[in-house]
């Protein structure tokens, strides 16, 4: 069935229709016509919503599902449903499953499980066997099987020599390593940001230094080996400064920030709500501002969800023993709008740049292109609750709250879903 989208504003910097309000016709998975006042054809579905925007489909660089092994948290079906509802037509999923994604067998399993889905699923392989940081995983074999990058899934590699060897090995086959910015020796058992605010709460703090020392280490290694490196989930103003200088010096470094780090701050911990317990921890308003500035000046390449689903028994407990992480795929867009980002920047950091980092094909809004797009309304309000949540888990501080910025439709792989 063909689909006609009426009166839509196009947001795609590479498109001749960028910023224009047009009608878009899609047939058999391709954009076949873009123009004004297109006539509705027989047996054609139509979509029309005032104020809606059509952009290339969003892509998430950093989310966790539970399949295989932890399907009670999230499986491929529910995870991709949450992704689609958040506007994501492509996702890269972390390897911390059971078994760990550390060989081509696990990569092939995930790709087979995700076949036929509207959402493209790209596995990220482990850097080390079992995520232990001791022996290199079969990264070359995993890339050949379809892994798009390699990471330790929110764990930092403490061994400098091991990290150095991993970079050298990946350089040989154009592999990209994602690193987590945390010096575990400085973090210790602390769980929140180190500041006057958290000291008053009586909790041990994680200093910005713990992140920035690790960022510096990874930059030095990347520079030494002339190898690319991607630093995931930065959260401090200092990290932005370090990466900005490294880029200026010609180091092949890229980075992303989780959407919640642009809006949430450590003050939200006053009630000890474990749904605000994330890693890296929530920082200060000054850090929020520096991260937003880093997005605007190009220092920060992409925005990710950092989607981390958990069953209720892992989050509805005392703050100190709760697990880190929130479900986030469906709330990225509202948070970016709350942070004050404009449409062009959201599309660049959420749809274009993530695919470029992974050297994947970037969708375009033009006649003849494969249809891969997201339609969203930046002013429409909706409630995130048990009725609208598509994830198996519900660990979000935004649950049962009214949010502004709604995904209306996604289209990819010849399929579309309206919300």
């Amino acid at each position: 069935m063909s689909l006609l989208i009426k009166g839509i504003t196009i947001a795609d910097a590479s498109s001749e229709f960028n910023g224009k309000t047009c009608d878009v016709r899609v047939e058999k998975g391709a954009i076949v016509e873009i123009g004004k006042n297109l006539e509705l054809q027989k047996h054609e579905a139509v979509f029309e919503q005032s104020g809606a925007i059509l952009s290339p489909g969003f892509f998430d660089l950093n989310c966790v599902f539970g399949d295989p092994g932890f399907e009670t948290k999230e499986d491929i079906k529910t995870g991709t449903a949450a992704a689609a509802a958040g506007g994501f037509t492509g996702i890269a999923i972390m390897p911390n499953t059971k078994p760990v994604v550390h060989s081509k067998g696990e990569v092939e399993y995930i790709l087979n499980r995700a076949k036929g889905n509207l959402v493209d699923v790209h596995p990220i392989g482990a850097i080390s066997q079992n995520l232990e940081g001791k022996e290199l995983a079969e990264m070359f074999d995993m890339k050949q099987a379809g892994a798009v990058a390699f990471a330790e899934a929110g764990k930092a590699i403490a061994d400098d020599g091991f990290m150095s060897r991993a970079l050298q090995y990946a350089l040989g086959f154009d592999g990209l390593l994602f690193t987590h910015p945390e010096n575990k020796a400085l973090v210790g058992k602390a769980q929140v940001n180190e500041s006057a605010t958290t000291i008053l709460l009586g909790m041990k703090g994680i200093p910005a230094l713990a992140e920035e020392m690790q960022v510096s280490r990874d930059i030095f290694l990347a520079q030494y080996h002339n190898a690319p490196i991607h630093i995931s989930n930065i959260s401090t103003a200092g990290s932005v400064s370090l990466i900005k200088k490294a880029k200026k010096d010609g180091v092949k470094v890229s980075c992303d920030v989780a959407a919640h780090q642009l809006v949430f701050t450590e003050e939200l911990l006053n009630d000890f709500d474990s749904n605000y317990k994330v890693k890296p921890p929530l920082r200060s308003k000054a850090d929020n501002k520096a991260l937003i500035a880093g997005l605007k000046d190009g220092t920060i390449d992409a925005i990710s969800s950092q989607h981390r689903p958990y069953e209720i028994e892992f989050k509805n407990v005392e703050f100190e023993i709760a697990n880190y992480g929130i479900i986030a795929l469906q709330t990225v867009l509202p948070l970016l709008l709350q942070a004050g980002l404009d449409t062009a920047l959201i599309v660049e950091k959420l749809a274009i740049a993530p695919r470029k980092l992974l050297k994947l094909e970037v969708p375009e809004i033009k006649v003849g292109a494969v249809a891969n797009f997201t339609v969203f309304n930046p002013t429409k309000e909706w409630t995130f609750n048990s009725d609208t949540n598509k994830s198996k888990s519900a660990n979000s501080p935004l649950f049962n709250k009214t949010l502004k910025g709604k995904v209306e439709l996604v289209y990819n792989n010849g399929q579309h879903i309206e919300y």
Side-chain angles (χ1 to χ4, degrees):
M1 179 187 290
S2 62
L3 172 68
L4 180 63
I5 300 174
K6 298 283 290 180
I8 197 80
T9 301
I10 293 174
D12 177 11
S14 68
S15 173
E16 64 178 292
F17 300 101
N18 186 43
K20 298 178 180 178
T21 299
C22 308
D23 298 344
V24 178
R25 175 170 282 123
V26 184
E27 292 180 358
K28 297 180 180 178
I31 297 173
V32 297
E33 196 173 5
I34 301 176
K36 293 279 190 178
N37 302 316
L38 300 183
E39 289 188 9
L40 183 66
Q41 297 176 349
K42 191 176 181 181
H43 304 305
E44 185 172 50
V46 64
F47 175 88
E48 185 172 11
Q49 288 286 347
S50 176
I53 294 168
L54 185 149
S55 78
F58 300 162
F59 189 99
D60 188 34
L61 281 174
N62 187 330
C63 59
V64 168
F65 292 173
D67 196 356
F70 300 115
E71 291 88 351
T72 53
K73 302 178 190 298
E74 197 84 279
D75 59 31
I76 298 290
K77 182 179 179 180
T78 59
T80 53
F88 295 95
T89 60
I91 54 173
I93 56 175
M94 287 289 167
N96 51 329
T97 50
K98 187 177 182 180
V100 169
V101 181
H102 57 189
S103 72
K104 65 179 182 180
E106 293 85 31
V107 171
E108 290 169 349
Y109 168 84
I110 291 170
L111 292 174
N112 285 329
R113 290 280 290 170
K115 272 183 181 177
N117 205 295
L118 181 149
V119 178
D120 299 320
V121 177
H122 300 274
I124 294 176
I127 297 173
S128 70
Q129 290 285 343
N130 291 312
L131 303 174
E132 293 174 348
K134 296 177 181 178
E135 296 182 23
L136 287 172
E138 299 171 8
M139 287 192 279
F140 177 75
D141 284 352
M142 285 191 282
K143 181 163 187 184
Q144 294 294 103
V148 291
F150 305 93
E152 293 292 90
K155 294 174 67 176
I157 293 176
D159 188 322
D160 301 336
F162 182 87
M163 188 64 200
S164 178
R165 292 190 294 276
L167 278 171
Q168 284 181 286
Y169 177 46
L171 187 60
F173 57 88
D174 197 28
L176 179 63
L177 303 191
F178 283 26
T179 65
H180 179 69
E182 179 184 74
N183 184 306
K184 192 64 179 175
L186 288 175
V187 170
K189 295 182 180 179
Q191 300 181 335
V192 296
N193 185 42
E194 181 183 81
S195 70
T197 299
T198 53
I199 288 172
L200 289 173
L201 292 175
M203 294 190 283
K204 293 180 180 178
I206 300 173
L209 179 67
E211 175 171 312
E212 292 152 16
M213 281 186 66
Q214 197 77 2
V215 168
S216 298
R217 193 279 308 261
D218 290 341
I219 287 171
F220 276 126
L221 288 175
Q223 185 174 36
Y224 180 75
H225 293 297
N226 193 28
I229 197 165
H230 181 81
I231 302 172
S232 286
N233 307 323
I234 67 168
S235 67
T236 73
S239 291
V240 176
S241 297
L242 288 165
I243 294 167
K244 186 174 186 176
K245 181 181 184 303
K247 286 189 170 189
K248 188 177 180 180
D249 293 341
V251 182
K252 297 174 182 177
V253 61
S254 57
C255 65
D256 67 67
V257 62
H260 57 257
Q261 294 287 4
L262 306 176
V263 177
F264 296 163
T265 63
E266 59 191 0
E267 281 80 11
L268 293 168
L269 302 177
N270 288 331
D271 294 330
F272 299 97
D273 183 349
S274 63
N275 282 318
Y276 286 110
K277 185 177 181 180
V278 291
K279 186 178 280 191
L282 300 180
R283 305 285 187 180
S284 68
K285 289 181 181 178
D287 290 307
N288 286 167
K289 290 179 181 179
L291 293 166
I292 292 170
L295 285 165
K296 292 179 178 179
D297 69 19
T299 301
I300 301 175
D301 299 88
I303 298 166
S304 66
S305 73
Q306 208 185 355
H307 179 77
R308 300 291 186 269
Y310 282 106
E311 303 92 335
I312 190 170
E313 60 265 30
F314 291 97
K315 292 296 283 187
N316 192 20
V317 291
E318 293 86 349
F319 190 93
E320 287 192 358
I321 61 174
N323 282 25
Y324 295 96
I326 59 176
I327 58 168
L329 284 164
Q330 290 182 244
T331 56
V332 169
L333 177 63
L335 287 177
L336 301 188
L337 292 166
Q338 186 179 338
L341 304 192
D342 62 33
T343 298
L345 189 61
I346 290 172
V347 173
E348 169 62 24
K349 303 298 182 180
L350 207 57
I352 310 301
R355 289 183 172 92
K356 286 183 176 179
L357 282 169
L358 298 178
K359 299 181 179 178
L360 299 172
E361 185 176 354
V362 178
E364 293 182 87
I365 310 304
K366 66 179 184 180
V367 175
V370 173
N372 181 342
F373 56 77
T374 297
V375 174
F376 62 94
N377 190 321
T379 61
K380 192 167 185 177
E381 294 186 343
W382 62 287
T383 302
F384 185 41
N385 56 27
S386 57
D387 293 327
T388 55
N389 179 33
K390 306 298 182 183
S391 173
K392 273 191 179 180
S393 299
N395 52 302
S396 169
L398 298 175
F399 216 65
N400 293 319
K401 293 186 178 180
T402 298
L403 308 176
K404 181 179 286 188
K406 186 177 187 299
V407 171
E408 303 272 22
L409 181 148
V410 286
Y411 194 112
N412 189 32
N413 295 327
Q415 307 170 52
H416 77 278
I417 303 174
E418 293 184 33
Y419 299 99

